[in-house]
Amino acid sequence: MIEIHNVSKWYGSFQVLADCTTSVNKGEVVVVCGPSGSGKSTLIKTVNALEPFQKGEILVDGVSVNDPKTNLPRLRSRVGMVFQHFELFPHLSVTENLTLAQTKVLGRSTDEAKVRGLKMLDRVGLMAHKDKFPGQLSGGQQQRVAIARALSMDPIVMLFDEPTSALDPEMVGEVLDVMVQLANEGMTMMCVTHEMGFARKVSHRVIFMDQGRILEDCAKDDFFGQPEARTPRAKEFLSKIL
Ligand code: ADP
Ligand code: MG
């Protein structure tokens, strides 16, 4: 579903991604972890072309992200993205947040978009809040709305960039629960997260990045079960977060 081939990116002379290669199969859940500044956000944003890159190629469901002929709005509409800060529109109600991109990007009628959006809102357990504004919801609820909004677009893959790291601790669980449910339903997911409980529970593979490089890309059981086989940087990182 996602193929990342030898991707490199520089900011001036600073190399933020160095020859990154990996892939995510249909139905696979891949967790990306690593120290702050290692390039995790940059890598995940290259997948839906929010970050351009100078070398390499990325294919999403066979469509090249960096081919100038690719219809980027269409591609992005198939790739759901959830950020650390929920980025809901504060002046729009929950329902309006859910329907806006569906009508503007997918050309759905307001009624159609509402049906789809509210179905997704129900799925994240927030139907009772459909007429509220984001500011009236807790951080955890806002993040669940952001997930419902992404799901309303019928994505073929979901990207998460530290979706729980801006939340108060007591709200982390409700967002992870939604992500676990999605994973169990077979959604293809690429998740930047340091929630190793989530990684152990539902991920298939773990990618570890450091200084723009993918240093580890292995099955979850190897990542957690065979620390002796890990690179020194990954071992050090794991010893701090586990
Ligand atoms: P992570 O998500 O792993 O914390 P990022 O992908 O956000 O890392 O950033 C990787 C590196 O790129 C960091 O050192 C960061 O300072 C640098 N960086 C990010 N955005 C820019 C930018 N627009 N210009 C220059 N450097 C940047
Ligand atoms: Mg980041």
Side-chain angles (χ1 to χ4, degrees), residues 28-212:
E28 204 174 22
V29 178
V30 173
V31 160
V32 182
C33 62
S36 179
S38 57
K40 305 179 298 295
S41 295
T42 307
L43 181 70
I44 203 163
K45 285 187 200 154
T46 59
V47 173
N48 65 351
L50 285 178
E51 288 279 4
F53 48 94
Q54 288 92 351
K55 272 181 76 181
E57 182 171 43
I58 297 183
L59 304 173
V60 176
D61 199 21
V63 176
S64 172
V65 166
N66 48 316
D67 182 340
K69 290 195 287 286
T70 295
N71 181 336
L72 280 185
R74 185 184 302 166
L75 182 128
R76 287 199 185 109
S77 76
R78 318 282 328 268
V79 180
M81 175 107 201
V82 176
F83 300 92
Q84 186 173 354
H85 300 281
F86 336 117
E87 319 213 356
L88 298 173
F89 297 109
H91 58 292
L92 298 181
S93 72
V94 166
T95 303
E96 289 163 341
N97 265 284
L98 292 168
T99 54
L100 185 67
Q102 291 188 70
T103 54
K104 292 262 187 270
V105 181
L106 301 182
R108 290 180 180 161
S109 71
T110 307
D111 284 349
E112 202 184 350
K114 229 173 170 169
V115 168
R116 177 72 189 159
L118 292 180
K119 194 169 164 200
M120 292 305 110
L121 193 64
D122 194 31
R123 197 162 154 189
V124 302
L126 292 175
M127 195 55 132
H129 302 282
K130 66 181 172 56
D131 297 320
K132 291 192 178 160
F133 286 84
Q136 298 173 285
L137 303 178
S138 72
Q141 290 171 332
Q142 289 185 58
Q143 192 60 301
R144 284 151 66 197
V145 171
I147 295 172
R149 179 175 62 176
L151 293 174
S152 300
M153 301 292 284
D154 300 323
I156 52 172
V157 37
M158 285 284 288
L159 309 176
F160 292 87
D161 190 2
E162 302 207 36
T164 59
S165 52
L167 297 175
D168 290 337
E170 73 269 24
M171 292 168 190
V172 169
E174 64 189 74
V175 172
L176 290 178
D177 284 349
V178 169
M179 292 170 65
V180 169
Q181 180 194 327
L182 262 184
N184 289 340
E185 286 166 8
M187 176 60 79
T188 307
M189 295 163 65
M190 192 168 177
C191 313
V192 177
T193 181
H194 293 154
E195 293 291 340
M196 291 297 127
F198 171 80
R200 279 177 192 265
K201 197 157 153 190
V202 298
S203 81
H204 299 99
R205 273 183 19 245
V206 179
I207 288 174
F208 173 79
M209 292 185 72
D210 190 35
Q211 298 186 344

